[in-house]
Amino acid sequence: MVKSSVLVLVSRLYSSFSWMSGVRRVLITRQVSVKALDIMRGPILGCESLDIDLIDSDEPPSRDVLLKRVAGKHGIYCLLTDRIDKELLDRAGKQLKVVSTMSVGYDHVDVQACKERGVVVGNTPGVLTDATADLTVALLLATSRRLLEGVEAVKDGSWGPWQPLWMCGSGLRGSTVGIVGLGRIGQAVAERIRPFGVSTILYTGRTAKQEAKKLGAQFVTFHELLAKSDFVLACCALTEKTRETFNANAFHLMKPSAVFVNTSRGGVVNQDHLYDALSNGQIRAAGLDVTTPEPLPTDHPLLSLKNCVILPHIGSAEMQTREEMAMLAARNLIAGVTDNNMPSPVHL
Ligand code: NDP
Ligand code: DGY
């Protein structure tokens, strides 16, 4: 008890000293790119320097490590695997100014709690839009055209002579595609699928979008989208409203021939219900880049299904994209600790 009070006192004294000397202490929760680290190492306009506490590992830190190392920091550079909640913000202390996540999704950050504590939040929109949209289309085609089943058949010897009806999937030409969440990634996906000869693009979200006009996309209700689409693509943010929106009711409304693709967050899907829908033929197939949990245990029931293609959350996994995300997150962090406007703040 006495020991911990002394520690708190020492940490507060250290905190005020660093503040006066213009040093800002930041926690980086994982190995980051050398270029991003270089810009954080300075020189930095607006403060003497950053005192960087780098968790130099490619594995996520344990909760205990995070809670310990965050104490007394002015800034946190985190990844989507780090839960930034009230407890962590309180452990950080009142001097905390900024949480910068190297991701566009910020469902792991309690943005409201940050706001209440005067902590600004930054994310990395835009720089990963193309990479994620490309991956969404790749996953859509891999799922609808049964690419993984085909590869498996080549390897296990079940590939026989050419047959008219073997390994047939469904094509995009003349189809109706429904996009749930016509944000940056949703729009980039719509642009990419048009040239495949898609006949109708439907979308849903909180509000109709200006940008939808030039994409020729029609705003409909979630239910109408599910009932009419041959391909249903989840490109929305994970929020309390979107959590498990893809559940038994949703799969029930879809066509039995529908293909469902999710590159948003695993939390938008009820995976038990998805398993049932895929195994009892309520929908044809699913392609998931995101799951709950991540990584998905290798004995998870979804992995036993031929009509479910699962990727390990690689939507933005393109070298240049990851570099740009790391740099943008670094710039957000620097702006936040030096009281400047961030290049990309999250607005509540
Ligand atoms: P945007 O903010 O541009 O788009 C988010 C979309 O979510 C908006 O269209 C928004 O609709 C929609 N949305 C929010 N609430 C709802 C709701 N209740 N019902 C339906 N739609 C809703 O973000 P991005 O396009 O840049 O990224 C989207 C998400 O993709 C990220 O939040 C992240 O989770 C995920 N992502 C995954 C990646 C991967 O590796 N698989 C890579 C990058 C991102 P409206 O505008 O009407 O509010
Ligand atoms: C994000 O940025 O939200 C992705 O999930 C990872 O790039």
Side-chain angles (χ1 to χ4, degrees):
M1 181 71 177
V2 175
K3 199 174 156 200
S4 75
S5 316
V6 172
L7 276 177
V8 169
L9 193 68
V10 171
S11 133
R12 291 222 171 114
L13 279 172
Y14 181 60
S15 155
S16 18
F17 172 74
S18 316
W19 178 252
M20 287 184 319
S21 65
V23 174
R24 305 285 191 273
R25 287 185 304 282
V26 299
L27 176 66
I28 303 179
T29 65
R30 204 80 66 82
Q31 275 169 2
V32 284
S33 87
V34 176
K35 267 167 100 182
L37 208 50
D38 277 352
I39 66 161
M40 290 188 277
R41 285 189 171 134
I44 289 169
L45 216 62
C47 78
E48 196 177 285
S49 64
L50 296 191
D51 176 358
I52 297 175
D53 179 5
L54 171 68
I55 302 183
D56 197 8
S57 162
D58 211 18
E59 296 294 316
S62 70
R63 181 75 178 163
D64 277 355
V65 167
L66 260 190
L67 290 176
K68 272 192 197 121
R69 305 247 312 239
V70 80
K73 300 295 193 290
H74 297 105
I76 307 171
Y77 181 118
C78 66
L79 303 193
L80 56 87
T81 41
D82 306 316
R83 185 160 41 87
I84 310 295
D85 57 8
K86 289 187 180 116
E87 182 191 24
L88 186 133
L89 295 170
D90 290 340
R91 286 291 187 97
K94 292 208 161 68
Q95 75 299 323
L96 183 70
K97 287 166 167 284
V98 53
V99 171
S100 170
T101 180
M102 192 192 132
S103 59
V104 65
Y106 51 84
D107 45 280
H108 55 296
V109 180
D110 187 337
V111 182
Q112 178 62 38
C114 288
K115 194 176 174 189
E116 284 159 11
R117 288 160 179 77
V119 174
V120 290
V121 180
N123 68 340
T124 62
V127 292
L128 43 54
T129 299
D130 287 333
T132 311
D134 289 351
L135 191 281
T136 305
V137 177
L139 182 55
L140 167 60
L141 293 173
T143 309
S144 62
R145 294 295 305 273
R146 306 171 62 180
L147 297 195
L148 273 79
E149 280 181 78
V151 170
E152 204 44 49
V154 175
K155 288 184 181 168
D156 70 14
S158 57
W159 177 25
W162 192 90
Q163 288 170 286
L165 296 178
W166 188 67
M167 265 314 151
C168 291
S170 44
L172 282 165
R173 185 168 46 89
S175 71
T176 296
V177 177
I179 301 179
V180 178
L182 197 72
R184 286 170 293 255
I185 296 169
Q187 289 172 35
V189 169
E191 274 169 16
R192 280 160 174 73
I193 57 174
R194 266 279 178 233
F196 283 89
V198 165
S199 82
T200 309
I201 299 180
L202 305 176
Y203 75 101
T204 193
R206 287 174 299 187
T207 50
K209 299 251 169 256
Q210 269 301 322
E211 300 90 329
K213 287 196 186 119
K214 74 172 186 337
L215 296 167
Q218 301 162 34
F219 186 62
V220 291
T221 63
F222 183 54
H223 285 188
E224 189 176 347
L225 181 144
L226 296 174
K228 290 188 172 163
S229 300
D230 300 300
F231 300 93
V232 175
L233 314 182
C235 296
C236 55
L238 172 62
T239 66
E240 280 324 303
K241 289 263 166 59
T242 59
R243 190 173 295 283
E244 297 201 5
T245 38
F246 293 96
N247 54 23
N249 291 338
F251 297 125
H252 180 73
L253 287 169
M254 289 188 200
K255 298 180 182 182
S257 57
V259 172
F260 169 63
V261 171
N262 181 16
T263 50
S264 69
R265 283 289 183 266
V268 304
V269 177
N270 179 313
Q271 287 178 177
D272 293 339
H273 295 179
L274 175 62
Y275 176 84
D276 291 343
L278 287 169
S279 43
N280 66 25
Q282 216 161 29
I283 65 171
R284 175 178 289 165
L288 314 173
D289 181 44
V290 283
T291 59
T292 312
E294 290 179 1
L296 197 65
T298 50
D299 61 353
H300 193 282
L302 281 175
L303 289 169
S304 67
L305 299 174
K306 283 198 161 145
N307 54 349
C308 189
V309 175
I310 304 187
L311 299 179
H313 201 149
I314 52 170
S316 65
E318 209 189 40
M319 279 178 287
Q320 193 190 333
T321 299
R322 287 283 165 86
E323 188 69 49
E324 288 174 24
M325 290 166 68
M327 294 294 277
L328 183 49
R331 292 199 182 97
N332 280 334
L333 181 89
I334 292 169
V337 291
T338 53
D339 298 315
N340 287 302
N341 290 332
M342 282 192 191
S344 60
V346 168
H347 297 291
L348 199 62

